[in-house]
Amino acid sequence: LISCRERVVPPPDKPPYIPPIVLTAEDVGVTDAFIRLKFLDTANTSPKTFILTRDGKVLMTNTIIAIDTLLLDEGLLPKRTYKYKSYRLTNNTIVDSSAELPITTMDTSSGKWIFQIDTLGGASSVLYDVSIVSTNPPLVYAVGEIYKRDSLGNWDPTPYGLAIWNGTTWQLKRILVRSQVGDVHSRVFKGVFAFSQTDVWFADGNAFHWDGQSAFATAYWISGYPGNPTPVLGTNQGVSKLWGTSSSNLYGVGVNGGIAHFDGVAWRRLESGTDVSINDIWGVIDTKTGKKLILCSASNKYTLGQKKILIITEQNKVVNFDWQIDRRVHSVWFLNKNRIYACGGGVFEKKFNIGWREITSIPLIYTNRIRGNDYNDIFIAGDFGIVAHFNGFNWFLFNNVSGPLYHSADYKKNIFAAVGQVYGSAAALIMKKK
């Protein structure tokens, strides 16, 4: 006999449950975390009360109207995992919750460095700006005016405008430019920004593009100086510092509020709304949205005037950014809008929608540049040889490199470079992580 048994088909699985509250890690630092809280019931526009917990303990209770909000949790410890959860309340009763969100904070960065300080030239030689082209192999470009003695022992009146560090030594080079009337002359520069070894930009009122090999740089006469028949910028305006994403998307800022943009074909003026010096420009492109965030720091270092941070919008309009502090601001750096650092007459940090907070562990010495790799790896450099590094938890002062006055600095991966002047010679500091 053959018997058959009817196959029992189980009911279809229920769809997975989706919590109506979602927590995601927006940005995680060493001692803080930005957490995005989102309600999925978008049709409900009534106020929503929620509780946020960390490791089972209540962090905050709040009522909001928005369905999407960003929360900041501070006072965390480095390299530690925390577990967050959010609950929704109705009439003081928990009605739903999010899934648990684990977050691991960043570790502090290394504090072990080796350094070298080189002096170049004499007779009031100086370096104004520096750009790290690559770290492997090492290549650094610094610009200024470097005077050397000729074969008879006299000071040569024609300075070198470019110093190149190859990982061991500095080499000096003169860059030639053809003027608007066709004559050839050696040029010195106040700013440098290198996209690669063969794609280099200089600034000294006007802008100059160099291929890294030839003796000549291509000049763009954009400054509004007397005698320039086709100026891009206004009267007595010029560019001295540069930033961009490529040679077809480059910005220059400088004296008397000058800002200009190069699209690969022509330079165009941007109205800054100020007549004070714009000392620095820094920007990032959001990898998620593709949108840019570009900030410029504007104030006169030695004279009175406005103190501003400017933002260049997606439409290349210039508007004021939040800077309510009556201190000179000389340089800015950031990775996104959640944390922004500024320096000048003090070092300051701004998180999210919280106001600027001064970092009081650093001596109140004027700082000319701030640059970083990440929020646990930031350098500042400035007057009286001040150089300090932030490892995400503490700032450390390097007293053994405090001889020169540092006008500018750059930082990429494992190399930090600062340039300036000491005792009439140009000074260049190179620091490398061990």
Side-chain angles (χ1 to χ4, degrees):
L1 296 175
I2 301 174
S3 66
C4 297
R5 190 187 324 185
E6 182 180 354
R7 181 172 181 267
V8 178
V9 179
D13 293 338
K14 293 182 179 180
Y17 174 71
I18 301 176
I21 310 173
V22 177
L23 291 181
T24 54
E26 179 85 3
D27 191 1
V28 181
V30 176
T31 61
D32 57 18
F34 289 87
I35 301 169
R36 186 165 294 281
L37 184 149
K38 189 172 184 179
F39 292 94
L40 298 184
D41 52 342
T42 57
N44 184 358
T45 59
S46 61
K48 306 164 186 64
T49 301
F50 70 90
I51 295 174
L52 180 68
T53 65
R54 184 219 298 156
D55 294 341
K57 297 181 179 179
V58 175
L59 274 181
M60 66 177 71
T61 302
N62 206 346
T63 300
I64 58 174
I65 297 177
I67 62 171
D68 190 338
T69 189
L70 195 61
L71 308 172
L72 172 62
D73 185 18
E74 296 185 286
L76 307 179
L77 295 175
K79 202 177 181 181
R80 175 176 288 194
T81 298
Y82 297 91
K83 295 179 180 179
Y84 294 86
K85 197 166 184 176
S86 182
Y87 301 85
R88 183 168 178 176
L89 299 179
T90 299
N91 297 325
N92 293 323
T93 301
I94 294 176
V95 296
D96 224 320
S97 65
S98 70
E100 191 174 73
L101 173 67
I103 288 178
T104 302
T105 54
M106 299 172 66
D107 196 4
T108 55
S109 60
S110 169
K112 298 179 180 180
W113 300 85
I114 57 175
F115 70 93
Q116 69 179 72
I117 300 178
D118 295 296
T119 55
L120 310 174
S124 298
S125 296
V126 60
L127 290 172
Y128 297 112
D129 200 13
V130 61
S131 180
I132 299 173
V133 185
S134 63
T135 58
N136 187 22
L139 183 62
V140 177
Y141 291 153
V143 295
E145 40 192 312
I146 305 164
Y147 297 91
K148 294 190 71 177
R149 295 185 185 275
D150 59 22
S151 57
L152 299 178
N154 301 315
W155 288 108
D156 189 335
T158 304
Y160 294 85
L162 176 64
I164 303 172
W165 188 69
N166 60 11
T168 305
T169 60
W170 289 91
Q171 299 173 344
L172 303 182
K173 187 177 181 67
R174 290 188 176 100
I175 302 297
L176 302 179
V177 173
R178 288 188 177 90
S179 73
Q180 290 175 299
V181 295
D183 64 312
V184 175
H185 61 280
S186 176
R187 190 85 183 194
V188 297
F189 309 103
K190 294 291 181 63
V192 57
F193 194 85
F195 296 105
S196 70
Q197 184 176 355
T198 58
D199 189 2
V200 186
W201 285 87
F202 303 122
D204 183 40
N206 298 289
F208 309 85
H209 188 233
W210 184 51
D211 62 8
Q213 299 175 352
S214 63
F216 284 86
T218 302
Y220 294 83
W221 305 104
I222 63 176
S223 176
Y225 59 83
N228 186 352
T230 57
V232 173
L233 294 173
T235 303
N236 296 322
Q237 286 186 329
V239 297
S240 56
K241 294 296 180 286
L242 303 158
W243 176 87
T245 59
S246 70
S247 283
S248 58
N249 182 34
L250 181 68
Y251 293 85
V253 299
V255 296
N256 296 320
I259 304 180
H261 177 252
F262 184 67
D263 61 5
V265 178
W267 285 87
R268 291 178 175 83
R269 175 182 176 178
L270 306 185
E271 295 293 342
S272 68
T274 184
D275 59 358
V276 301
S277 296
I278 303 178
N279 306 296
D280 190 23
I281 176 171
W282 180 259
V284 295
I285 304 297
D286 191 314
T287 56
K288 296 179 182 178
T289 64
K291 293 184 178 181
K292 65 186 179 183
L293 175 62
I294 305 173
L295 298 181
C296 311
S297 48
S299 61
N300 295 328
K301 183 174 180 179
Y302 299 110
T303 60
L304 297 176
Q306 296 174 330
K307 308 172 186 70
K308 290 185 173 185
I309 294 180
L310 307 172
I311 182 170
I312 301 177
T313 69
E314 288 290 320
Q315 297 75 33
N316 273 347
K317 302 296 183 183
V318 182
V319 296
N320 288 338
F321 188 72
D322 175 28
W323 182 257
Q324 304 297 327
I325 300 172
D326 191 24
R327 300 274 193 91
R328 290 171 170 83
V329 55
H330 206 90
S331 182
V332 288
W333 179 83
F334 48 90
L335 291 178
N336 56 49
K337 62 183 179 181
N338 292 334
R339 299 182 188 86
I340 298 173
Y341 289 85
C343 72
V347 181
F348 299 87
E349 176 190 47
K350 176 178 173 58
K351 292 184 181 180
F352 187 36
N353 58 357
I354 300 174
W356 291 93
R357 296 186 291 193
E358 185 173 5
I359 299 170
T360 56
S361 59
I362 299 175
L364 192 55
I365 298 173
Y366 201 89
T367 43
N368 296 307
R369 192 64 77 236
I370 182 166
R371 290 291 185 263
N373 284 322
D374 211 330
Y375 291 117
N376 65 343
D377 196 7
I378 304 172
F379 267 100
I380 59 168
D383 292 357
F384 299 103
I386 185 172
V387 174
H389 177 256
F390 182 57
N391 67 0
F393 198 76
N394 292 312
W395 286 88
F396 178 79
L397 288 167
F398 293 91
N399 295 320
N400 49 357
V401 300
S402 61
L405 182 156
Y406 297 111
H407 292 301
S408 187
D410 196 13
Y411 186 29
K412 289 181 181 176
K413 295 183 179 178
N414 65 328
I415 295 179
F416 171 74
V419 297
Q421 188 177 31
V422 61
Y423 303 125
S425 295
L429 165 67
I430 299 290
M431 296 181 63
K432 294 188 293 184
K433 287 183 182 179
K434 288 185 178 180

